[in-house]
Amino acid sequence: MAALAETASTKIAKDAKQAFEASQLVQASDRITALHGIKAELEALKSDIQNANRVDLEAAQKDVAAGRLSESLLKRLDLFKGDKWDAMLQGISDVASLPDPTGNVSYASELDDNLELYRVSCPIGVLLVIFEARPEVVINIAALAIKSGNAAILKGGKESNNTTALLAQAVRNALAKTSLPENYIQTIQTREEVSSLLALDQYIDLVIPRGSNALVRNIQNNTRIPVMGHADGLCSVYLDESADVEKAVRVAVDSKIDYPAACNSEETLIIHHSLLNTIWPKVAKALLKAGVELQCDSSSLTALSQISPPLPNLSNLVKPSTESSYTTEHLSLTLSVLTVASLSAAIAHINAHSSHHTDSIVTESESAATTFVRGVDSAGTFVNASTRFADGFRYGFGTEVGISTGRIHARGPVGLEGLVTYKYVMRSKGEKGHIVGEFGTGEGKKSYKHQKIDAQKLPF
Amino acid sequence: MAALAETASTKIAKDAKQAFEASQLVQASDRITALHGIKAELEALKSDIQNANRVDLEAAQKDVAAGRLSESLLKRLDLFKGDKWDAMLQGISDVASLPDPTGNVSYASELDDNLELYRVSCPIGVLLVIFEARPEVVINIAALAIKSGNAAILKGGKESNNTTALLAQAVRNALAKTSLPENYIQTIQTREEVSSLLALDQYIDLVIPRGSNALVRNIQNNTRIPVMGHADGLCSVYLDESADVEKAVRVAVDSKIDYPAACNSEETLIIHHSLLNTIWPKVAKALLKAGVELQCDSSSLTALSQISPPLPNLSNLVKPSTESSYTTEHLSLTLSVLTVASLSAAIAHINAHSSHHTDSIVTESESAATTFVRGVDSAGTFVNASTRFADGFRYGFGTEVGISTGRIHARGPVGLEGLVTYKYVMRSKGEKGHIVGEFGTGEGKKSYKHQKIDAQKLPF
């Protein structure tokens, strides 16, 4: 067969797939050894990495001064700010010590005497992970990929190219000392490479974008490869007819102000109309005190304007909402407020407007709680709890690969489980092996036994 | 907001999404009632459906006579052939009696005193199912969708339009007598509608194509909505160095001849070179006796041609293979044969050429079996068992939604589990509700408890 001309990206993708296939027989213990090796290499390269990070930061500072880069991006670029470096190293150890997500049996059945079927978790294949600014993500993702047995191709922000090049070097150095293939974790640097890779669905199995909405949307619109992530986090809190006032204030405020830029922060507060002159003023007062701008529909606005003496900050922070308020992810101390006539109207509004990320009800009614958590079609449906709890670490996964607003494969905060799939392993121990032709309804034919086997791991 | 002009397809998709959302509070018992209702309506409409099916068959017969339609498609169109009708009705009862795939808790954790997290299975949303010829698929899929709580839009082959229109009528009649929304199951008739719907990823959550490779590929190439299915079933059997001769013959033959047109039938037989003059002639003899054409590489061909007296059928059924033999899904009594020097060469060939559906090794070696089932990157990896076992009913799922060669969400034969996703439900029973701001590392802050809860169902 004539050798086809291969673009550089095709070679990267093919190499990754081959590395993945070659790695299938590597033991979990070797993968853990690789993780500890990466930590050691990083420690050895620390001063070089500090220098590289300084170069990136200085270039970025010039871009900020020239208005080409945001201040917040600059902050994320600094790998040695606070305990970031140590936290990154600790993260590797933490991932190393998590339970192995592969090799776990989730279904096992004896189909016939001596014919056993096992559904066992295994890595997905080749991951393409695209992120911005924060250089430590290279190490986070490399650790998660290695732990879960996936090969990965990583693309960081161009602002951190000098830093990530050295981080990637540390990973390569460590892998070279193990039985894992050298192309197991590769890094790329340009958007053009990303564009080419997004077309290679025969080699790449999952794309994980971590960054701005624009980044995620752009990737979702330009690939047939499955994408795991969320473009928007438009979360709501609904104050039900039977809400407790203290819970209403605490949940509405915490969901908004704990970290307004996070995808799991509250963007819309929905109020049952019966609360307009009871609980709503107290909630509004607490939000205004915290400096939250309220974009109110007419009912909730009227209720606040009738209060005497006027609430502090009323004149500067309370504004009428527009249609677009309820489809906007503010990501700041701004909150859209809507009044509804019923629980079912609240659920209908959320299903039509939220990003299906996380929504919370404040209620003392068991039946309202049940209706809300079943009726709201979101990855997280909460009762009397802040939307900010929607997070892999808080859920107890030990790590977070990302948060998915897709419905297929993984939904909500995703731990290591989101990086594995499964395969079916069948073994005949019969004297003559097993063939399908012996089963059926005719004379002398066998029937399937389908008897559950208790197994956590493959027995061979 | 100005009303946007809506195409008919957009209305169908929106109606389906609304029907899905409205159905979230319907009890599982109501869904079972709906299934029994469909069965009763079908029985009531039987003679009308027979007439409609006759009209479709007569039109199709003309198309066959004119060479516009294949004989095999005609056969699949006949809803009253053999026990097809009764089997379809029985299928509804079978699905009704399967365990409910929704509402099952797969992860539950107490994050803090009185703060509980549950991961609970729930329907995916709106399914778009596209199939060909066989009209009974309308009923199969409607039953699966209703049982799993998903809304569905169904498109059958145009040859069966008269039959499927009445089957759909029976479904609508039955739904009208339940609490399920009338648009829960919709049917469409044209390819143009399918094309429009494939663009509506805001309303449609999963596409399930059931039909020819061409159909599946065309859909995969024309939508951003996740697609569950398989275009190819290129399965292999590998006869290892330590294969037992009887198992080799039985598995190689059954995998090929039990049902050659099935996606799980063997298309390539891979032989360890040490077997060329021992086991291979016996396997070849059995295959030739069954009328299987063998497309052989030079080693396996030479081995057969040296046998004296010549094997029966040698001259007419044994041919040299070409490069394309090993990437062809024959779907007939044709088998490609390849000789390899080692187990690892066999694994590499399978990973590079198979469709990652199902591959089987024949071996007496425990270590070869282990290496094969781990090293082969397919949905099914079997030991001493026919590839034909790869099937939802044989696996014990009670039903089969389809077979997936994708790695995301569902892989291999897919039962009702493939039609559900999950959501996270969190409930605070704390006196003041729960907020994130109280957790952390500072003074007076709380730590997460992450204590496993034993729960199969939501407690509220």
Side-chain angles (χ1 to χ4, degrees):
Chain A
M1 205 168 41
L4 293 168
E6 274 186 3
T7 66
S9 297
T10 306
K11 179 168 174 7
I12 289 168
K14 267 184 139 167
D15 285 350
K17 193 64 155 189
Q18 275 172 9
F20 168 66
E21 287 168 359
S23 72
Q24 291 302 286
L25 300 172
V26 173
Q27 298 293 321
S29 57
D30 289 358
R31 293 195 235 127
I32 292 172
T33 304
L35 291 175
H36 292 305
I38 290 173
K39 193 174 170 185
E41 292 288 336
L42 286 168
E43 281 163 345
L45 283 172
K46 182 175 179 182
S47 67
D48 291 346
I49 296 169
Q50 275 178 312
N51 291 336
N53 194 228
R54 206 168 295 129
V55 172
D56 282 334
L57 278 170
E58 282 165 10
Q61 264 147 2
K62 282 179 198 155
D63 284 344
V64 170
R68 289 189 298 264
L69 202 71
S70 72
E71 191 75 42
S72 68
L73 203 144
L74 181 68
K75 270 186 215 157
R76 275 175 270 158
L77 203 56
D78 186 350
L79 185 56
F80 294 88
K81 196 180 168 223
D83 66 346
K84 239 191 197 184
W85 171 263
D86 292 331
M88 180 182 81
L89 295 186
Q90 182 58 43
I92 302 172
S93 306
D94 290 349
V95 168
S97 63
L98 285 173
D100 187 358
T102 71
N104 300 313
V105 170
S106 57
Y107 179 87
S109 179
E110 195 175 37
L111 306 191
D112 184 29
D113 291 341
N114 292 315
L115 183 63
E116 298 161 358
L117 176 71
Y118 299 89
R119 180 170 67 199
V120 58
S121 64
C122 62
I124 291 173
V126 176
L127 315 177
L128 172 60
V129 187
I130 301 151
F131 49 95
E132 293 170 333
R134 296 190 297 129
E136 70 272 24
V137 176
V138 173
I139 299 300
N140 300 157
I141 298 286
L144 293 168
I146 291 168
K147 178 75 184 185
S148 57
N150 291 283
I153 304 169
L154 312 178
K155 157 79 171 69
K158 67 176 187 310
E159 299 78 11
S160 62
N161 270 350
N162 288 293
T163 314
T164 51
L166 274 185
L167 296 176
Q169 184 63 50
V171 173
R172 270 197 306 277
N173 291 351
L175 289 183
K177 295 174 185 167
T178 72
S179 55
L180 282 162
E182 60 168 335
N183 290 320
Y184 202 62
I185 306 290
Q186 299 179 80
T187 48
I188 55 172
Q189 306 235 322
T190 70
R191 286 192 190 180
E192 291 66 36
E193 288 170 304
V194 171
S195 297
S196 311
L197 290 171
L198 289 176
L200 301 176
D201 62 328
Q202 68 270 49
Y203 303 120
I204 297 171
D205 301 297
L206 184 65
V207 183
I208 308 178
R210 290 177 50 149
S212 67
N213 295 0
L215 173 82
V216 179
R217 267 186 211 290
N218 183 41
I219 286 165
Q220 285 173 332
N221 288 333
N222 287 291
T223 188
R224 292 198 294 124
I225 306 170
V227 177
M228 186 164 78
H230 67 287
D232 296 306
L234 213 157
C235 304
S236 323
V237 172
Y238 168 58
L239 306 182
D240 181 53
E241 194 172 1
S242 74
D244 170 83
V245 59
E246 187 174 9
K247 293 178 190 173
V249 170
R250 281 163 48 88
V251 172
V253 172
D254 183 86
S255 296
K256 180 74 247 179
I257 73 163
D258 184 64
Y259 186 15
C263 62
N264 58 10
S265 69
E266 165 198 25
E267 305 293 3
T268 304
L269 177 65
I270 305 172
I271 306 165
H272 189 272
H273 68 95
S274 65
L275 309 183
L276 280 176
N277 300 307
T278 54
I279 287 180
W280 167 226
K282 297 187 174 70
V283 172
K285 192 175 170 185
L287 287 164
L288 291 170
K289 193 178 164 199
V292 177
E293 175 184 303
L294 303 174
Q295 298 185 352
C296 297
D297 68 344
S298 62
S299 303
S300 60
L301 189 65
T302 305
L304 294 190
S305 58
Q306 286 168 346
I307 298 170
S308 169
L311 292 176
N313 279 331
L314 181 78
S315 57
N316 57 323
L317 287 180
V318 177
K319 296 171 184 175
S321 65
T322 63
E323 185 75 34
S324 70
S325 298
Y326 306 105
T327 52
T328 301
E329 189 180 3
H330 303 294
L331 294 172
S332 63
L333 284 176
T334 299
L335 182 63
S336 309
V337 182
L338 181 77
T339 312
V340 294
S342 65
L343 170 60
S344 61
I347 293 172
H349 175 87
I350 292 171
N351 283 338
H353 295 80
S354 99
S355 63
H356 307 287
H357 185 301
T358 302
D359 301 281
S360 184
I361 184 174
V362 179
T363 187
E364 296 300 295
S365 155
E366 188 86 352
S367 91
T370 301
T371 302
F372 185 88
V373 302
R374 283 172 167 74
V376 169
D377 178 30
S378 293
T381 55
F382 292 1
V383 180
N384 294 328
S386 167
T387 56
R388 288 274 301 137
F389 282 110
D391 170 283
F393 290 95
R394 289 173 192 150
Y395 279 11
F397 300 161
T399 186
E400 183 178 282
V401 174
I403 293 186
S404 168
T405 50
R407 290 145 191 278
I408 301 301
H409 185 66
R411 196 181 191 198
V414 181
L416 273 179
E417 274 184 13
L419 297 184
V420 298
T421 179
Y422 55 77
K423 69 195 324 185
Y424 286 93
V425 172
M426 189 181 290
R427 177 168 67 159
S428 163
K429 296 191 287 190
E431 274 182 29
K432 302 178 176 186
H434 268 83
I435 62 172
V436 162
E438 292 175 342
F439 293 80
T441 49
E443 203 196 313
K445 298 282 188 180
K446 296 196 274 187
S447 294
Y448 289 96
K449 201 169 152 185
H450 293 151
Q451 190 171 311
K452 194 177 177 249
I453 300 172
D454 256 325
Q456 269 71 52
K457 299 279 173 186
L458 273 188
F460 68 109
Chain B
M1 207 169 38
L4 292 169
E6 273 186 1
T7 66
S9 296
T10 306
K11 180 166 171 11
I12 289 169
K14 266 185 141 166
D15 285 350
K17 193 64 155 189
Q18 275 170 10
F20 168 66
E21 286 169 358
S23 73
Q24 291 302 286
L25 301 170
V26 172
Q27 298 293 320
S29 56
D30 288 0
R31 293 193 236 130
I32 292 172
T33 304
L35 292 176
H36 292 305
I38 290 172
K39 194 175 169 185
E41 292 288 335
L42 286 169
E43 281 164 344
L45 283 172
K46 182 174 178 182
S47 68
D48 290 347
I49 296 169
Q50 275 178 312
N51 291 335
N53 193 229
R54 205 167 297 130
V55 172
D56 282 334
L57 278 168
E58 281 165 12
Q61 263 146 1
K62 282 179 199 155
D63 284 344
V64 170
R68 288 189 297 266
L69 201 71
S70 73
E71 191 77 41
S72 68
L73 204 144
L74 182 69
K75 268 186 218 159
R76 276 175 268 158
L77 204 55
D78 187 350
L79 185 56
F80 294 89
K81 196 180 168 224
D83 66 346
K84 238 192 200 183
W85 171 263
D86 291 331
M88 179 182 80
L89 296 186
Q90 182 58 42
I92 302 173
S93 307
D94 291 348
V95 168
S97 63
L98 285 174
D100 187 358
T102 71
N104 300 315
V105 170
S106 57
Y107 180 87
S109 178
E110 194 175 39
L111 306 191
D112 184 29
D113 291 341
N114 292 315
L115 183 64
E116 298 161 356
L117 176 72
Y118 300 89
R119 180 169 67 199
V120 57
S121 64
C122 61
I124 291 173
V126 176
L127 315 177
L128 172 61
V129 188
I130 301 152
F131 49 95
E132 292 171 333
R134 297 190 298 127
E136 70 273 23
V137 176
V138 173
I139 298 300
N140 301 157
I141 299 286
L144 294 168
I146 291 168
K147 178 73 185 186
S148 58
N150 291 283
I153 304 169
L154 312 178
K155 159 78 172 70
K158 67 175 187 312
E159 299 78 13
S160 63
N161 271 350
N162 289 291
T163 314
T164 51
L166 275 185
L167 296 176
Q169 184 63 50
V171 173
R172 271 197 305 277
N173 291 352
L175 289 184
K177 295 173 184 168
T178 72
S179 55
L180 281 162
E182 61 169 335
N183 290 320
Y184 202 64
I185 306 290
Q186 299 178 82
T187 48
I188 55 172
Q189 305 235 323
T190 70
R191 286 193 188 177
E192 292 67 36
E193 288 170 304
V194 171
S195 297
S196 313
L197 290 172
L198 288 176
L200 301 176
D201 61 327
Q202 68 271 50
Y203 302 120
I204 298 172
D205 301 298
L206 184 65
V207 182
I208 307 177
R210 290 178 49 148
S212 67
N213 295 0
L215 172 82
V216 178
R217 268 185 210 290
N218 183 41
I219 286 166
Q220 286 172 332
N221 288 332
N222 286 290
T223 189
R224 292 199 292 125
I225 306 170
V227 177
M228 186 163 78
H230 67 286
D232 295 306
L234 213 157
C235 305
S236 323
V237 171
Y238 169 58
L239 306 182
D240 181 53
E241 193 172 2
S242 73
D244 169 84
V245 60
E246 188 174 8
K247 294 178 188 174
V249 170
R250 282 162 47 88
V251 171
V253 172
D254 182 86
S255 297
K256 180 74 247 178
I257 72 162
D258 184 63
Y259 186 15
C263 63
N264 57 11
S265 69
E266 165 197 25
E267 304 293 4
T268 303
L269 177 65
I270 305 172
I271 306 165
H272 189 271
H273 67 94
S274 65
L275 309 183
L276 281 175
N277 300 308
T278 54
I279 288 180
W280 167 227
K282 296 186 175 70
V283 172
K285 192 175 170 187
L287 287 164
L288 291 170
K289 194 177 162 199
V292 177
E293 176 185 304
L294 302 173
Q295 299 186 353
C296 297
D297 68 343
S298 62
S299 303
S300 60
L301 190 66
T302 304
L304 294 190
S305 58
Q306 286 168 347
I307 298 170
S308 169
L311 292 176
N313 279 330
L314 182 76
S315 57
N316 57 322
L317 287 179
V318 178
K319 297 172 184 175
S321 64
T322 63
E323 185 75 34
S324 70
S325 298
Y326 306 105
T327 52
T328 300
E329 190 180 2
H330 304 293
L331 294 173
S332 63
L333 283 177
T334 298
L335 182 64
S336 309
V337 183
L338 181 77
T339 311
V340 294
S342 65
L343 171 60
S344 61
I347 293 173
H349 176 87
I350 292 172
N351 284 338
H353 295 80
S354 98
S355 64
H356 307 286
H357 185 301
T358 303
D359 300 282
S360 185
I361 184 174
V362 179
T363 187
E364 296 300 296
S365 154
E366 188 87 352
S367 92
T370 301
T371 301
F372 185 88
V373 302
R374 284 171 168 73
V376 169
D377 179 30
S378 293
T381 55
F382 293 0
V383 180
N384 295 329
S386 168
T387 56
R388 289 274 299 136
F389 281 110
D391 170 282
F393 290 94
R394 289 174 192 149
Y395 278 11
F397 301 161
T399 186
E400 183 178 282
V401 174
I403 292 185
S404 168
T405 50
R407 290 146 192 277
I408 302 301
H409 185 65
R411 194 180 193 200
V414 181
L416 273 179
E417 276 184 12
L419 296 184
V420 298
T421 178
Y422 54 77
K423 69 197 320 187
Y424 286 94
V425 172
M426 190 181 288
R427 178 168 66 160
S428 164
K429 295 190 288 189
E431 275 181 26
K432 303 177 175 186
H434 268 84
I435 62 172
V436 162
E438 292 175 341
F439 293 80
T441 49
E443 203 194 314
K445 297 281 187 181
K446 295 197 276 188
S447 293
Y448 289 95
K449 202 168 150 183
H450 293 149
Q451 191 171 310
K452 193 175 178 246
I453 301 172
D454 254 325
Q456 268 71 53
K457 298 279 174 187
L458 272 188
F460 68 109

